[in-house]
Amino acid sequence: MTVLVTGSRGRGASTLIGLLDAAGIKVTAASKNPADLSPPHGVDTVRCDLTDPTTFDAALTGTDAVFLYAEAAHAGTFADRARAAGVEHIVLLSSSSALAPDAAGNAIATSHLAAEHALSTAADTGAFEATYLRPGAFASNALQWSRALRTGHAPALPYPHAHGDPIHERDIAEAALAVPTDHAAAFRP
């Protein structure tokens, strides 16, 4: 099994790469600028720019599963190219905003919904399975508060009394790891 991880410079994707590698699963780290990546020793890198469909085929060659960031611009093309490459499963990092009652009118949710729709259209034909991870706020976003806190100030928040449940990127990576590896187990003799 080979897993292509897009957006490999991100915290969740880079953590997933380490988890896949540690589990002995062949992983390819993909990025718009693969020279900027520093994956574990032995992990291949490839250029895959989700805004440039000409990079999809080379990135998808020999891939069984994909961890995909929700980039709506060419999600349908990516799904078509994944189907042609024989990809069996795509795990899409979407957003909890896609679940909101006003999702169709929400700028963040709209992009995620479009990516989900493109994948579900292809998955409905039996081309591959698709799983959507829909986390809310990432825990590392709180790092932006560090300067204010170090200087004794409160973080500038738009809704200071609002409650949120940020999720750590490692938890997202562990969920993403479980999907294709459990999926692959179903195909083992």
Side-chain angles (χ1 to χ4, degrees):
M1 170 179 212
T2 300
V3 179
L4 176 71
V5 178
T6 68
S8 293
R9 287 181 14 201
R11 289 180 191 262
S14 61
T15 300
L16 176 59
I17 289 167
L19 292 171
L20 288 162
D21 184 55
I25 297 168
K26 184 168 174 35
V27 59
T28 302
S31 174
K32 181 189 303 188
N33 300 307
D36 294 343
L37 299 176
S38 53
H41 179 71
V43 171
D44 293 331
T45 62
V46 67
R47 182 167 188 267
C48 184
D49 179 349
L50 297 177
T51 65
D52 180 2
T54 65
T55 66
F56 296 169
D57 289 339
L60 289 164
T61 299
T63 297
D64 301 299
V66 177
F67 177 74
L68 180 65
Y69 273 81
E71 167 57 57
H74 300 288
T77 302
F78 189 91
D80 291 342
R81 302 315 310 148
R83 176 179 43 234
V87 169
E88 297 171 4
H89 204 121
I90 296 179
V91 178
L92 179 72
L93 181 59
S94 187
S95 167
S96 63
S97 64
L99 301 171
D102 65 341
N106 178 307
I108 294 172
T110 301
S111 173
H112 290 91
L113 285 171
E116 286 185 17
H117 178 71
L119 289 183
S120 67
T121 299
D124 287 347
T125 67
F128 50 75
E129 290 188 53
T131 301
Y132 311 115
L133 299 181
R134 295 178 176 137
F138 290 7
S140 66
N141 291 349
L143 294 173
Q144 66 190 347
W145 305 336
S146 63
R147 183 174 181 197
L149 294 171
R150 279 194 306 268
T151 59
H153 296 89
L157 300 172
Y159 304 101
H161 299 291
H163 175 80
D165 293 314
I167 185 167
H168 196 280
E169 289 80 352
R170 181 167 180 97
D171 293 330
I172 297 166
E174 287 176 352
L177 172 68
V179 175
T181 55
D182 287 352
H183 173 77
F187 295 100
R188 290 188 188 129

